[in-house]
């Protein structure tokens, strides 16, 4: 697509999925776009690392709502389906409970009913009612709320009757408990907020739409890994005439008479802009990049009261043997659920037990490891840095405990077959991505931090500044941050 020459310049700070999607959208609307990224590779949480021939996607692996990507490709005049090889996984993932029983999750309701019949026959009817309820929530929560700007209180007031009708004051776990009596099914149909940093015990039941999102558009994997999507978006931006500058941390957002006028890079150089889009965590944007500004809404006291998401401990590893029976996505549940969630979110202490998500991309794409080998990562939700865990001390002990659990449950002889190995701790989330409190998903998805209550996509503080990414509306997760960029079409002026 030919780039429309235009004098208006948009600067995007950060190249996470939210920032890259914003850049493509602004480029398609005729802005000259420059993305400034602090790291040496694009993608934010979705960057890629390689070690000993293993290709590790560092973050997102479960791709839902692919139409949000297709839209970006078509805005840039390109074909997503011709450029990206997306495979649909069915079943989506396996949940293995602590008693050894399993549930393979799929959009096929008959297949789900048959498994529930085996696990807890009395809950089959509850499954059907749960589906109906989550469809109703999805229709409001995703189709009505996720793509609206919510920068006026009137928007919020308008949706209150729906939120009351859907009983959004209930938590996701409470909602699941109304439909299922078996604790394993309560877990299976309530763990989803963890995928976006929320506590299933307190996150509003509106977020049970995530489970429905999987059913509606499927669960996909990108051949070559999620990094292909990142590279694809970077290519779209350059094909539109935009530029992605790596190793270019932004030190501050410049303002003139209450309006964003550009940015100052850490090396002191200044870049003028008509529009500034921050893909940096919203709390960090207001605390650091606009540190000197007197803020009306996101002032220091308010920011300090904000509740941030939990963090993650992620162990990336390769093996010199194959584990053919292990599914692509496995949720390996620990002995406790509600108790563990309280430890992570309330007591903020590192428990000795854990629930794990194991990713085995080589189940679908063998090219992500050398022949005969496997590539994995395993993640464990852990308290953010408010928990005062000394990760320098704990990381290796914690990794070994996870290794032992995996070895016992699904990966026999793992220790003896390890090749590549490295970890990300909450401390790394803070230092690598600049995530306040090492929170892996930014502001937690609590009711009082959602929609109008969340930092708006059109900044409340200064004109000409817009926010995209996990810390703004609608929130974390790849569909969430792509939707945040979609909202820009509503709130950013035309060139
Ligand atoms: C391990 C893990 C697994 C996940 N799995 C899934 C999944 O399977 N499916 C799913 O949908 N979601 C998943 N998520 C969530 C999802 O990855 C994130 O919510 C989403 O990618 C965040 O995108 P973002 O736009 O907020 O930007 P981020 O990814 O947070 O990127 C922000 C970028 O800004 C840059 N930056 C920060 N400060 C500056 C500065 N001053 N100057 C310049 N650049 C700066 C950072 O370096 C970073 O590149 C996962 C997250 C993690 C961590």
């Amino acid at each position: 697509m030919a780039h429309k020459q235009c004098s208006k310049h948009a600067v995007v700070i950060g190249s996470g999925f939210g920032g890259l999607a914003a850049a493509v959208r602004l480029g398609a609307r005729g802005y000259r776009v420059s993305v400034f990224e602090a790291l040496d590779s694009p993608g934010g949480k979705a960057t890629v690392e390689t070690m000993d021939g293993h290709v590790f996607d560092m973050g997102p692996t479960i791709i839902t709502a692919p139409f949000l990507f297709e839209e970006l490709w078509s805005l840039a005049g390109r074909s997503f389906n011709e450029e990206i090889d997306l495979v649909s996984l069915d079943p989506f993932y396996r949940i293995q409970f602590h008693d050894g029983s399993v549930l393979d999750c799929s959009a096929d309701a008959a297949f789900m009913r048959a498994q529930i019949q085996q696990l807890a026959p009395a809950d089959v009817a509850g499954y059907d009612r749960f589906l109906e309820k989550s469809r109703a929530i999805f229709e409001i929560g995703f189709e009505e709320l996720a793509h609206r700007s919510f920068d006026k209180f009137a928007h919020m007031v308008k949706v209150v009757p729906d939120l009351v009708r859907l009983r959004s004051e209930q938590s996701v776990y409470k909602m699941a408990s109304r439909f299922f009596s078996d604790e394993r099914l309560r877990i299976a149909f309530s763990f989803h907020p963890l995928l976006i940093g929320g506590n299933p015990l307190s996150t509003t039941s509106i977020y049970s739409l995530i489970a429905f999102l999987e059913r509606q558009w499927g669960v996909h994997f990108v051949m070559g890994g999620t990094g292909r999507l990142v590279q694809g978006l970077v290519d779209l931006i350059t094909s539109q005439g935009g530029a992605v500058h790596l190793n270019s941390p932004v030190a501050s957002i410049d303002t003139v008479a209450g309006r964003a006028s550009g940015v100052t890079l850490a090396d002191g150089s200044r870049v003028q802009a008509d529009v500034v889009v921050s893909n940096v965590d919203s709390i960090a944007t207001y605390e650091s990049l606009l540190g000197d500004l007197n803020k009306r809404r996101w002032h220091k006291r308010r920011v300090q009261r904000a509740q941030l998401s939990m963090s993650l401990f992620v162990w990336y590893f390769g093996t010199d043997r194959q584990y053919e029976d292990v599914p692509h996505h496995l949720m390996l549940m620990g002995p406790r659920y509600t108790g563990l969630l309280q430890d992570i979110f309330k007591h903020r202490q590192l428990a000795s037990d854990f629930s794990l998500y194991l990713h085995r991309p080589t189940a679908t794409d063998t090219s992500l490891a050398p022949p005969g080998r496997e590539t994995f990562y395993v993640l464990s939700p852990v308290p953010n840095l408010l928990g005062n865990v000394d990760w320098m001390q704990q990381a290796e002990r914690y990794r070994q405990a996870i290794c032992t659990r995996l070895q016992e449950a699904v990966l026999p002889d793992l220790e003896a077959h390890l090749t590549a190995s490295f970890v990300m701790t909450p401390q790394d989330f803070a230092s690598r991505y600049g995530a306040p409190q090492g929170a892996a998903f930014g502001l937690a998805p609590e009711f009082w931090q959602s929609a109008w209550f969340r930092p708006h996509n059109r900044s409340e503080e200064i004109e000409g500044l817009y926010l995209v990414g996990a810390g703004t509306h609608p929130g974390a997760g790849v569909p969430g941050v792509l939707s945040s960029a979609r909202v820009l079409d509503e709130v950013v002026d035309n060139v």
Side-chain angles (χ1 to χ4, degrees):
M1 192 191 202
H3 170 61
K4 295 179 211 124
Q5 279 306 321
C6 139
S7 56
K8 283 210 175 174
H9 186 208
V11 161
V12 178
I13 316 168
S15 69
F17 272 129
L20 294 175
V24 172
R25 287 184 175 274
L26 292 171
R29 288 172 61 191
Y31 280 90
R32 182 168 61 84
V33 180
S34 309
V35 181
F36 293 96
E37 166 57 53
L39 296 176
D40 60 5
S41 56
K45 310 281 177 352
T47 47
V48 180
E49 294 288 333
T50 53
M51 189 183 271
D52 300 340
H54 297 271
V55 179
F56 296 100
D57 278 318
M58 296 290 283
T61 57
I62 297 176
I63 299 300
T64 50
F67 75 90
L68 289 167
F69 282 106
E70 284 166 24
E71 220 172 77
L72 295 171
W73 258 255
S74 75
L75 279 171
R78 303 258 288 262
S79 163
F80 179 79
N81 293 330
E82 279 171 23
E83 294 179 28
I84 301 288
D85 189 1
L86 204 62
V87 291
S88 163
L89 301 185
D90 193 17
F92 304 150
Y93 43 79
R94 170 169 295 170
I95 304 177
Q96 183 168 326
F97 302 99
H98 200 61
D99 63 5
S101 57
V102 299
L103 181 74
D104 285 330
C105 294
S106 158
D108 181 341
F111 174 72
M112 292 300 289
R113 274 188 215 108
Q115 291 182 91
I116 294 171
Q117 177 71 36
Q118 294 279 320
L119 282 179
D123 279 339
V124 175
Y127 171 68
D128 288 331
R129 287 189 291 116
F130 177 84
L131 275 191
E132 264 172 53
K133 175 78 182 176
S134 49
R135 175 190 296 278
I137 289 179
F138 168 83
E139 280 166 3
I140 297 295
F142 190 76
E143 294 181 346
E144 299 278 325
L145 307 190
H147 306 287
R148 302 268 309 274
S149 66
F150 275 97
D151 60 348
K152 298 203 168 62
F153 193 60
H155 293 158
M156 195 72 209
V157 171
K158 216 169 151 198
V159 297
V160 165
D162 284 327
L163 297 180
V164 171
R165 181 172 53 81
L166 294 170
R167 303 207 50 191
S168 52
E169 82 289 356
Q170 279 190 339
S171 72
V172 176
Y173 179 73
K174 195 149 191 196
M175 180 185 140
S177 302
R178 275 174 50 214
F179 296 102
F180 302 102
S181 55
D182 189 288
E183 182 61 10
R184 292 168 301 179
L185 296 176
R186 289 177 173 179
I187 297 172
F189 292 100
S190 74
F191 77 87
H192 299 84
L194 288 168
L195 301 176
I196 54 161
N199 178 357
L201 303 181
S202 61
T203 301
T204 154
S205 57
I206 291 293
Y207 286 94
S208 61
L209 69 82
I210 301 171
F212 200 83
L213 200 82
E214 292 170 351
R215 286 181 50 80
Q216 182 77 356
W217 289 294
V219 165
H220 306 271
F221 184 71
V222 182
M223 297 304 276
T226 308
R228 285 280 161 89
L229 289 171
V230 172
Q231 199 45 56
L233 289 173
V234 170
D235 290 347
L236 297 187
I237 295 164
T238 47
S239 75
Q240 289 173 319
V244 179
H245 305 276
L246 302 174
N247 299 307
S248 304
V250 168
S252 63
I253 296 168
D254 302 329
T255 60
V256 172
R259 208 193 141 80
S261 59
V263 296
T264 299
L265 303 184
D267 67 7
S269 50
R270 290 184 161 217
V271 182
Q272 177 282 329
D274 300 280
V275 164
V276 176
V277 177
S278 178
N279 179 216
V280 177
D281 178 274
S282 53
I283 297 297
T285 298
Y286 286 126
E287 281 242 281
S288 313
L289 298 182
L290 275 174
D292 296 339
L293 191 85
N294 220 351
K295 275 146 276 184
R296 279 169 296 189
R297 195 170 184 218
W298 297 104
H299 47 76
K300 208 166 193 63
R301 261 177 305 118
R302 173 108 185 226
V303 161
Q304 278 166 353
R305 280 202 315 267
Q307 200 183 323
L308 300 193
S309 80
M310 87 288 186
S311 193
L312 298 171
F313 178 90
V314 197
W315 177 30
Y316 306 84
F317 61 95
T319 60
D320 63 8
R321 60 157 282 193
Q322 288 176 304
Y323 290 95
E324 271 140 9
D325 298 337
V326 177
H328 187 133
H329 300 294
L330 176 71
M331 314 293 166
L332 191 60
M333 295 300 171
R336 300 183 304 148
Y337 184 60
T338 54
L340 180 62
L341 292 173
Q342 298 277 35
D343 278 349
I344 297 168
F345 290 95
K346 192 167 169 215
H347 311 309
R348 298 205 180 91
Q349 63 191 18
L350 189 61
S352 54
D353 57 334
F354 26 66
S355 283
L356 304 171
Y357 158 57
L358 179 67
H359 183 224
R360 180 183 161 234
T362 31
T364 304
D365 184 351
T366 53
S367 76
L368 297 170
R373 297 184 173 212
E374 301 269 17
T375 294
F376 289 96
Y377 86 49
V378 61
L379 69 76
S380 175
V382 293
N384 63 33
L385 291 175
L386 283 186
N388 282 328
V389 177
D390 182 347
W391 283 103
M392 289 287 277
Q393 286 256 318
Q394 297 291 336
E396 179 52 17
R397 186 198 60 77
Y398 199 68
R399 185 202 66 76
Q400 279 177 14
I402 290 176
C403 181
T404 305
R405 170 86 178 112
L406 291 177
Q407 192 157 268
E408 284 164 4
V410 282
L411 302 176
D413 295 328
L414 173 59
E415 190 84 62
H417 291 281
L418 283 175
T419 51
S421 170
F422 61 100
V423 300
M424 278 278 291
T425 71
Q427 198 64 59
D428 297 318
F429 276 94
S431 55
R432 179 180 163 104
Y433 301 116
Q437 296 173 13
F441 304 88
L443 217 55
E446 296 292 321
F447 182 82
W448 296 109
Q449 299 191 147
S450 296
W452 182 81
F453 300 109
R454 220 169 166 77
H456 297 173
N457 305 100
R458 178 188 356 227
S459 171
E460 301 95 308
E461 305 300 342
I462 49 168
E463 300 251 320
L465 173 66
Y466 301 87
L467 272 62
V468 292
T472 181
H473 173 69
V478 176
V481 304
L482 295 182
S483 297
S484 73
R486 214 177 186 209
V487 173
L488 292 193
D489 285 352
E490 199 188 310
V491 294
V492 177
D493 289 342
N494 285 327
V495 288

